[in-house]
Amino acid sequence: MLQKKVCMLGAFAVGKTSLVRRYVDSIFSEKYTTTIGVKIDKKVVNIGEQELSLLLWDVYGEDNHQKVLPAYLRGMAGYLLVVDPTRPNTYKSALSLHDLVNNTLGPKPFVLVLNKSDLKDEWEADIAELQQLANVAVAVMETSAKTDSGVNEMFEALASALLPING
Amino acid sequence: MTNDLPLSVARYVKTLPVCSRAMAYLCLDNDNVVINRGGALEKCGMPSIEKGVLISEQLPAIAQLLPIGEKAVVLVNTQISTDTIIDLHLFADTIGQWVLIIDNTEAGLILQSEQQERLCNDIIKEKNTKNGGAR
Ligand SMILES: Nc1nc2c(ncn2[C@@H]2O[C@H](COP(=O)(O)OP(=O)(O)OP(=O)(O)O)[C@@H](O)[C@H]2O)c(=O)[nH]1
Ligand SMILES: [Mg+2]
């Protein structure tokens, strides 16, 4: 079966791990447990007639003290670039991680993910700041790991972009 | 794994911090088939690696990192579907492609607690700035 490495990239605490847990184990926790290094999970996804095994690399978030090391991106086919619109600071990390990918591997397909849509009344960041990323993303999706909104769709949107042409 | 070394060297190596950590290795041929394996595989969270089988069928996460070029690849604090935290070192020589696995669970858990504390503080600071800024 076709296997593809997909990375979860974004600032700390945007919900990368929560999105993977929701997708793989159908669970959500309010408690924040930060990721160190990377945690790798696997999930098989069916797109039309095709089966694809996604290797989900849940990488630690970027913060003021540590940048994501390019070694973790090795062999990556595509990525989910996650922001938390309740925290405008997370946009900067998304932009710098997008640059990191382009500089390390060259452009790769990605879905721009606006997570925590259950807190939409607290979304305050100016989405226009993300326009530049939205223009080059294969899709822009709103998700909530908490209420399970848009999560499967987000992974499937990326998976479709990773299938061989005519998939 | 230090059996082949002169006793003095082996003794010295044993004093290095890395040596108190469990280590295991895999050796792959150029078709990415496991041709050898050994060391503390169980302690490193990968008890069932078999010889003669493609790495992509056993540890697909590692298969995605191949082939290894001239430069070694190092991935610290990696968890592959287990709670064991390992450091991965991948390098190639004339014998094959080597995957060195070093258990880092103990230090990893400490790092996790430190990072947790730091980031929780950062979130509180962010919230305070936000509320202050809104007023
Ligand atoms: N309300 C709400 N909270 C969420 C959602 N997704 C994640 N969270 C919360 O946000 C916090 C951080 O979630 P994580 O999934 O650990 O974030 P992360 O991006 O993996 O963080 P790092 O590993 O530190 O980079 C946790 O308290 C989660 O419960 C969501 O969709 N809605
Ligand atoms: Mg995480």
Side-chain angles (χ1 to χ4, degrees), chain A residues 17-138:
Chain A
T17 301
S18 302
L19 289 165
V20 173
R21 292 273 66 80
R22 168 61 78 190
Y23 185 54
V24 176
D25 303 320
S26 307
I27 51 170
F28 174 77
S29 163
E30 294 278 353
K31 187 167 171 265
Y32 176 33
T33 307
T34 185
T35 306
I36 57 158
V38 62
K39 185 140 199 271
I40 305 164
D41 269 293
K42 202 174 82 172
K43 171 133 174 165
V44 175
V45 53
N46 291 296
I47 304 288
E49 308 254 285
Q50 298 197 60
E51 259 192 346
L52 177 67
S53 174
L54 292 181
L55 295 156
L56 303 169
W57 285 54
D58 175 20
V59 180
Y60 64 93
E62 187 163 282
D63 68 57
N64 294 332
H65 306 264
Q66 54 180 355
K67 297 268 164 220
V68 168
L69 296 173
Y72 290 96
L73 305 180
R74 190 183 175 84
M76 177 184 85
Y79 57 112
L80 295 145
L81 191 56
V82 188
V83 298
D84 172 356
T86 69
R87 292 166 52 219
N89 283 348
T90 65
Y91 289 17
K92 251 193 326 225
S93 296
L95 286 164
S96 78
L97 286 162
H98 179 255
D99 285 344
L100 176 72
V101 172
N102 286 353
N103 295 335
T104 313
L105 306 173
K108 293 282 168 192
F110 71 99
V111 172
L112 179 61
V113 181
L114 316 180
N115 190 37
K116 310 197 185 178
S117 61
D118 56 290
L119 299 177
K120 229 170 173 176
D121 46 348
E122 291 175 38
W123 281 18
E124 58 168 53
D126 184 1
I127 308 281
E129 277 179 54
L130 292 173
Q131 199 54 52
Q132 190 192 334
L133 289 174
N135 288 345
V136 286
V138 297

Side-chain angles (χ1 to χ4, degrees), chain B residues 27-28 30 68-69 91-98:
Chain B
C27 188
L28 318 175
N30 286 336
I68 306 157
F91 58 93
D93 65 12
T94 51
I95 301 169
Q97 312 186 79
W98 295 91

Side-chain angles (χ1 to χ4, degrees), chain B residues 7-126:
Chain B
L7 190 57
S8 318
V9 180
R11 263 200 205 114
Y12 175 78
V13 169
K14 275 212 152 72
T15 66
L16 297 176
V18 70
C19 273
S20 59
R21 293 157 60 186
M23 263 189 244
Y25 67 88
L26 312 174
C27 188
L28 318 175
D29 67 12
N30 286 336
D31 296 323
N32 302 338
V33 173
V34 177
I35 51 174
N36 209 347
R37 56 169 174 26
L41 281 161
E42 193 156 346
K43 185 85 213 306
C44 291
M46 32 192 83
S48 54
I49 301 295
E50 282 177 45
K51 274 201 255 188
V53 180
L54 278 168
I55 192 73
S56 59
E57 289 171 18
Q58 311 193 67
L59 281 173
I62 287 181
Q64 301 298 314
L65 302 170
L66 305 173
I68 306 157
E70 272 171 29
K71 253 179 89 186
V73 178
V74 180
L75 293 176
V76 297
N77 294 320
T78 302
Q79 284 173 274
I80 309 181
S81 312
T82 71
D83 289 333
T84 312
I85 303 170
I86 54 173
D87 291 347
L88 286 172
H89 297 249
L90 292 87
F91 58 93
D93 65 12
T94 51
I95 301 169
Q97 312 186 79
W98 295 91
V99 182
L100 174 62
I101 304 141
I102 308 177
D103 177 46
N104 198 37
T105 306
E106 209 175 306
L109 290 175
I110 295 170
L111 180 70
Q112 203 279 337
S113 309
E114 288 169 354
Q115 185 174 306
Q116 186 78 46
E117 194 180 314
R118 174 160 57 80
L119 294 183
C120 287
N121 284 334
D122 282 2
I123 289 175
I124 294 169
K125 268 190 234 151
E126 252 183 50

